[in-house]
Amino acid sequence: MSKSKTKKKSRAAGTEIKAADAATIVEDGFGNYLIRAGRLNGNFVARAFPETGSRSQGLIAEASGTSEADAIETLKEILRIRGAERTEARRWEGRSDISIPSKEEFSEALGQMKLTDAQLAMLKAHAIAGDDGMSMAALTRAAGYKSEDTAVKALKRAGSHVADFLGVETQTDAANDQKDAREILGYCIEGDAETASVWVMHDELRHAVRSTI
């Protein structure tokens, strides 16, 4: 269960409710969000922001209530409904065998997750490649790695982070099985004796990468 705490003074201008009527701000955690509640112009207001330390600091949602606690619970219910509606609206991708989050979901995840420079480089290059996709050898070069195995592991970790953040269940990573955490990022087109397999980034993620990183 999340713990609430009281702040005597706001820490960052533009990201907290400025308490005109009271000197306290109540904080509470909910999923991937930090909720701050207080009195604003005589009303109790709760606002949800990305967790502290993320690159994205914009307002996610807000709600009012008869007290800080009431406003927080109302906001949590709004976030629950929002999450359920997003999950319901996801597109099924048979080539990855998973439901694909929307551009907005991917953008939110990319704005809050801490990815390495190499992982970001791979995602950017992959997004630019479009429907042509990229082989793991090409993604390895984009990341600046010398070892393809290292690039695969880094890309799988990035996929795991995205899947965990968005609550998407990916396939188990069995030996010699292409289905793994990378499936949240794209789908694999198997090669043959003369051509290498390529990974094609999901269109939703492609647009999110271009607009977010």
Side-chain angles (χ1 to χ4, degrees), residues 92-159:
W92 178 258
E93 174 54 79
R95 290 167 293 191
S96 288
D97 200 27
I98 58 174
S99 295
I100 307 302
S102 65
K103 172 195 171 184
E104 289 71 27
E105 288 185 274
F106 277 128
S107 294
E108 191 172 299
L110 292 173
Q112 295 192 54
M113 294 187 311
K114 294 181 179 179
L115 299 176
T116 66
D117 290 341
Q119 288 169 329
L120 291 172
M122 281 192 284
L123 291 178
K124 290 177 183 178
H126 208 180
I128 293 172
D131 291 333
D132 292 333
M134 296 180 71
S135 66
M136 278 309 308
L139 285 165
T140 300
R141 291 191 296 271
Y145 289 126
K146 294 182 179 180
S147 166
E148 189 170 313
D149 286 342
T150 301
V152 169
K153 291 177 182 178
L155 200 59
K156 286 181 180 180
R157 283 195 296 270

Side-chain angles (χ1 to χ4, degrees), residues 124-194:
K124 290 177 183 178
H126 208 180
I128 293 172
D131 291 333
D132 292 333
M134 296 180 71
S135 66
M136 278 309 308
L139 285 165
T140 300
R141 291 191 296 271
Y145 289 126
K146 294 182 179 180
S147 166
E148 189 170 313
D149 286 342
T150 301
V152 169
K153 291 177 182 178
L155 200 59
K156 286 181 180 180
R157 283 195 296 270
S160 293
H161 291 326
V162 173
D164 289 344
F165 185 94
L166 296 177
V168 178
E169 185 175 347
T170 58
Q171 301 294 320
T172 57
D173 186 11
N176 301 318
D177 185 359
Q178 290 281 20
K179 291 187 178 298
D180 52 49
R182 288 174 292 179
E183 296 288 330
I184 187 67
L185 308 177
Y187 57 87
C188 182
I189 299 177
E190 298 287 352
D192 52 34
E194 297 181 355

Side-chain angles (χ1 to χ4, degrees), residues 44-122:
F44 291 101
V45 179
R47 291 173 175 170
F49 301 93
E51 287 186 328
T52 302
S54 69
R55 291 178 298 155
S56 175
Q57 295 297 324
L59 175 67
I60 300 296
E62 72 175 36
S64 58
T66 57
S67 65
E68 289 97 337
D70 183 54
I72 288 172
E73 287 307 310
T74 300
L75 180 54
K76 287 181 178 179
E77 183 60 22
I78 290 173
L79 293 172
R80 290 188 192 99
I81 294 172
R82 175 176 176 266
E85 289 176 344
R86 281 182 162 189
T87 300
E88 181 67 25
R90 290 173 181 172
R91 171 180 67 84
W92 178 258
E93 174 54 79
R95 290 167 293 191
S96 288
D97 200 27
I98 58 174
S99 295
I100 307 302
S102 65
K103 172 195 171 184
E104 289 71 27
E105 288 185 274
F106 277 128
S107 294
E108 191 172 299
L110 292 173
Q112 295 192 54
M113 294 187 311
K114 294 181 179 179
L115 299 176
T116 66
D117 290 341
Q119 288 169 329
L120 291 172
M122 281 192 284

